């Protein structure tokens, strides 16, 4: 066999992959894919899964303090949905040849990242509403295009996730409407929460396009469908009328309608703050990772018990099979 043969094979495989992408069709787990594509997806899906799981913390913090049984039930259901999103996404990542245990280890060793937004603290109950409205709202803008992502398992997971996210956004907005129709003190809480979460929400779309080196390649692979700035603009345009309906002011003096662009102009987020939070020095980074580590270690006995049970079942089945033979 000549040395050239495997190379030709690889080239053929690559041509097939490129044709699938060009035809806007899906790549499935058993299909050949370039190593860079696989690595990019593992990184992105893992970060996404970690974000869902870490994102349970700022809201879980308010389950015991939610003001009524109804609000507790709603918040509990929402936080539970986020756990489910994490599970679908870890399962999607596993189809690329990594396992969840390994990804969890990377998260608690701070070797993989999660969304910067979850490193901010939730200081009042109005934050729960604003997280639903703005944070889940920004997540929807980011995630709806991922339903058409070129990697099949990721795209399919996103369809279900996006349906649930739209409930999350509505529950947040409904909560804020109730507070906006309440007392002056409640309206004040809504305004303060909006002031604190607006800029970090804009940062959820990632750095400006000029400063986002991986975006071009992700777009060429049909993983990403729109640039960070396009999605950020969409989010701003969507949020302005919602803020008006709530009677809150978005904390950006440069925010105004631009007739020529048929879009809102808006101010620049503090990118130094974004970089610091991503690098691990946000207000709650250490606390979030430490909490996740404690939960993982505390759950070790459950995983061991489940494994022991599965081994016992397998051994029993084996015995039955042997006896029948
Ligand atoms: Fe989610
Ligand atoms: Fe959500």
């Amino acid at each position: 066999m000549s040395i050239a043969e495997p190379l030709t094979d690889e080239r053929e495989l690559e041509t097939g992959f490129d044709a699938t992408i060009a035809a806007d069709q899906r790549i499935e787990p058993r299909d050949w894919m370039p190593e860079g594509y696989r690595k990019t997806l593992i990184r992105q899906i893992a970060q996404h899964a970690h974000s869902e799981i870490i994102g349970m913390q700022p809201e879980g913090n308010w389950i015991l303090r939610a003001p009524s049984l109804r609000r507790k039930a709603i918040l509990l259901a929402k936080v539970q949905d986020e756990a489910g999103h994490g599970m679908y996404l870890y399962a999607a990542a596993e189809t690329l040849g990594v396992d969840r245990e390994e990804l969890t280890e990377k998260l608690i060793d701070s070797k993989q990242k999660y969304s910067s937004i979850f490193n901010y603290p939730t200081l009042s109950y109005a934050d729960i509403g604003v997280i639903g409205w703005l944070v889940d709202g920004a997540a929807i803008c980011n995630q709806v295009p991922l339903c058409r992502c070129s990697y099949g398992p990721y795209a399919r997971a996103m369809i279900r996730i996006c349906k649930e996210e739209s409930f999350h956004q509505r529950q947040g907005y409904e909560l804020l409407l109730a507070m906006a129709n309440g007392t002056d003190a409640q309206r004040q809480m809504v305004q303060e929460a909006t002031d604190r979460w607006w800029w970090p929400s804009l940062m959820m779309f990632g750095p400006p396009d000029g400063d986002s080196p991986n975006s071009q390649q992700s777009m060429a692979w049909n993983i990403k469908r729109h640039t960070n700035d396009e999605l950020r603009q969409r989010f701003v345009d969507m949020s302005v009328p919602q803020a008006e309906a709530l009677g809150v002011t978005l904390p950006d003096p440069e925010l105004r309608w631009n007739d020529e662009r048929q879009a809102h102009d808006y101010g620049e987020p503090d990118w130094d703050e974004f970089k610091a939070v991503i690098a691990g020095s946000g207000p709650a980074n250490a606390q979030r990772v430490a909490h996740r580590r404690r939960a993982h270690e505390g759950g070790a006995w459950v995983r061991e018990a489940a494994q022991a049970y599965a081994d016992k079942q397998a051994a029993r089945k084996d015995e039955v099979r042997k006896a029948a033979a």
Side-chain angles (χ1 to χ4, degrees), residues 52 82 85 161 165 168:
E52 302 284 355
E82 306 300 5
H85 297 175
I161 290 177
E165 293 301 349
H168 297 173

Side-chain angles (χ1 to χ4, degrees), residues 9 19 25 34 61 69 86 127-129 145 175 216 229 231 271 294:
D9 279 356
Q25 287 179 347
N61 189 30
L69 182 59
D127 288 27
I128 298 307
L175 187 167
Q216 250 3 64
D229 287 332
L231 293 168
W271 295 117
R294 262 198 315 277

Side-chain angles (χ1 to χ4, degrees), residues 48 51-52 78 81-83 85-86 89 136 139 143 161 164-165 168:
H48 194 162
S51 301
E52 302 284 355
K78 198 244 185 200
D81 278 356
E82 306 300 5
H85 297 175
L89 289 164
D136 288 283
Q143 294 176 4
I161 290 177
E164 294 180 350
E165 293 301 349
H168 297 173

Side-chain angles (χ1 to χ4, degrees), residues 156-167:
R156 288 188 289 274
M158 291 319 300
I159 291 171
R160 181 161 172 190
I161 290 177
C162 284
K163 285 193 177 140
E164 294 180 350
E165 293 301 349
S166 103
F167 270 112

Side-chain angles (χ1 to χ4, degrees), residues 219-274:
M219 287 181 74
W221 278 330
N222 290 347
I223 295 173
K224 218 175 145 98
R225 299 286 182 161
H226 307 281
T227 72
N228 296 353
D229 287 332
E230 281 166 14
L231 293 168
R232 195 166 7 248
Q233 179 73 58
R234 194 176 288 183
F235 174 71
V236 170
D237 292 337
M238 183 180 99
S239 301
V240 169
Q242 294 171 347
E244 274 164 20
L246 272 181
V248 291
T249 310
L250 296 173
D252 178 359
E254 292 174 52
L255 186 65
R256 62 182 59 86
W257 178 250
N258 181 326
D259 221 21
E260 219 166 278
R261 290 201 307 119
Q262 287 292 299
H264 292 86
D265 291 336
Y266 58 94
E268 198 70 31
D270 180 349
W271 295 117
D272 290 336
E273 176 184 318
F274 173 72

